[in-house]
Every structure is written in C-alpha cells, then in structure tokens.
Amino acid sequence: FLLVAFIIYKLVSIRPIIFAITGNSLYSKGDKEKALSYFKKAYAIKSCPPRVATSYAYLLLRDRQVEESRNILEPLLNKKGLKLQDKAVMHMTYALVLWKQGDLDSAVNTLEEVYSYFKSSTLYESLGYLLLLQGNKEKALSFNLEAMDYNNDNDMIKDNLAQSYYAVGDYDKAEEIYVDLTNKNLTFPEPFYYYGLILKHKDNLAKAEEMFKKALTLKESFLSELKKEKIEEELKKALLKAERAEI
C-alpha cells in the first residue's frame, strides 16, 4: 500500500513537468494555442516548479500577453530557495516584460543586476539588445564585444555587435559581420535589414533591395523593435534612390 501511495504521489508531483514537456513539444511544432493550454494546466497545479511557471510567462510574453506574463512572474520574484539559474531566468524574463510595458531603463537595470551574479548567452543577447535600444552606443559596443568573447558562435550576439558598429558609424566592421550572417539560414530579419541600410548608404542599391526583400520574408518578433513597416519604408527609399540614379 505504501509503495502504491508513493507511486501515486510521485506521478501527481511531476504532472506540471509532464504538461510542460508536452507544451514545449507542441510549441516547437507550431501549435502555440495548444502549447499554452498545457502550460496553463501545469501552472494551475500548486506544485508547479518556478522554472515551469517562468517558461509559461515567457511564452505568454511572446504571444503579446504582457500583463498575464507579469502576473505570473511577480509573485515568484522574491521566492526563497530558488536555484541560481532559475532566479536568473525569472528576472531576465521579467526584464523583458518591463521593456514591453515601456520601462526600458528598469529592464536594463534588472538585466544588469542579473549580470552581476549570472552569465549566459541569453543574458548577453537580451542586455546587449536593450543597451542598443537605450541609445548608449559606446556602452552597447563595449558590452557586445564582451558578449562575443563569451560566445562567438551565437548569431544574435553577432547581430547585436554588428548593430553596435552600425550605431557608432563603423559601417565596414558591421558589414564584415553581416556578410557572414546573411549567408546563413537565419530566422530573424535584423541582419538583412541592417546590411541593407549599409548597402544603401554605399549606393549598392540592387543588393540593398535584395536584403530588404529577404528581411520581409522573415517572421516579425514581438521581442524586437524592428517591424515590417520599417523595412518596407527603407525598401521604398532604396527603390526611389535607384530610380533617381537612372535619370
């Protein structure tokens, strides 16, 4: 009887993890709605681990459900006994919530606090990007150079560094990175967009048009300030500049 009770207890206690694994599998297959429903089931269980709750909050954020994401994270932020990595991921996710709710400075401060005790590629990606949005060009460049030292195989870190070079006007160094990135099978549009801007600046208009059009084929992310309207606007400018050059 005790063995049966123990088995039942273990099965019940790991239900949130089973639901989360199922949700992750569905999300990776593109079934976002069903994936979120499984994470919701996991979160509704009292024994739901903080890391599962944080994953649910992150997926809600990516789905533009910002307030719902914040409502999950805030009760967890001061929870005692968290593993260091779980605490860091929770605060990194909360920083993105703050950013999407219009408080960029608090988002950067939160990520810098995480940076003081925890380093990861995801942290470097997020903080490197938000420093760019904050407009502190030299600080962003310095940080993104450090990020490359940490992980020089990460395409988002490479893009952050290239954007930093672009921001300070060093188009040649930015272009070196973008030549490499735009020859990869990327799923995010920023490298094609910024390489297009550099090519337009250098009057390589046919190639710039190609880059902008490629950027438009890639999915827009809620966790990016680059929107299709902005890409379309630069494509129009490149086409207009090419027409004028032919006159």
Side-chain angles (χ1 to χ4, degrees), residues 29-40:
K29 294 173 183 176
D31 195 343
K32 181 175 62 177
E33 187 175 338
K34 201 167 183 180
L36 285 172
S37 74
Y38 270 93
F39 271 99
K40 186 175 182 178

Side-chain angles (χ1 to χ4, degrees), residues 43 53 56-57 60-61 65-77 94 97 101:
Y43 179 66
Y56 180 37
L60 286 171
L61 178 62
Q65 299 184 55
V66 184
E67 191 62 33
E68 292 84 348
S69 178
R70 183 170 187 153
N71 289 340
I72 289 171
L73 291 169
E74 284 192 331
L76 297 172
L77 292 175
Y94 187 64
V97 168
Q101 290 192 320

Side-chain angles (χ1 to χ4, degrees), residues 112-131:
E112 287 180 333
E113 174 62 27
V114 173
Y115 172 80
S116 70
Y117 66 84
F118 182 83
K119 309 289 189 299
S120 71
S121 294
T122 302
L123 173 69
Y124 277 110
E125 289 173 16
S126 298
L127 183 50
Y129 183 64
L130 294 195
L131 286 171

Side-chain angles (χ1 to χ4, degrees), residues 16 39 42-53:
F39 271 99
Y43 179 66
I45 298 170
K46 286 186 178 181
S47 61
C48 180
R51 67 181 182 275
V52 171

Side-chain angles (χ1 to χ4, degrees), residues 84-122:
L84 193 66
Q85 183 173 349
D86 289 347
K87 177 184 174 183
V89 172
M90 189 182 297
H91 281 83
M92 283 191 280
T93 306
Y94 187 64
L96 298 179
V97 168
L98 292 172
W99 162 44
K100 297 313 294 185
Q101 290 192 320
D103 195 350
L104 177 58
D105 290 346
S106 291
V108 169
N109 290 340
T110 300
L111 290 175
E112 287 180 333
E113 174 62 27
V114 173
Y115 172 80
S116 70
Y117 66 84
F118 182 83
K119 309 289 189 299
S120 71
S121 294
T122 302

Side-chain angles (χ1 to χ4, degrees), residues 163-179:
Q163 284 192 49
S164 298
Y165 281 130
Y166 178 85
V168 299
D170 196 337
Y171 296 153
D172 290 338
K173 284 187 177 178
E175 185 172 15
E176 284 179 23
I177 297 171
Y178 283 136
V179 167

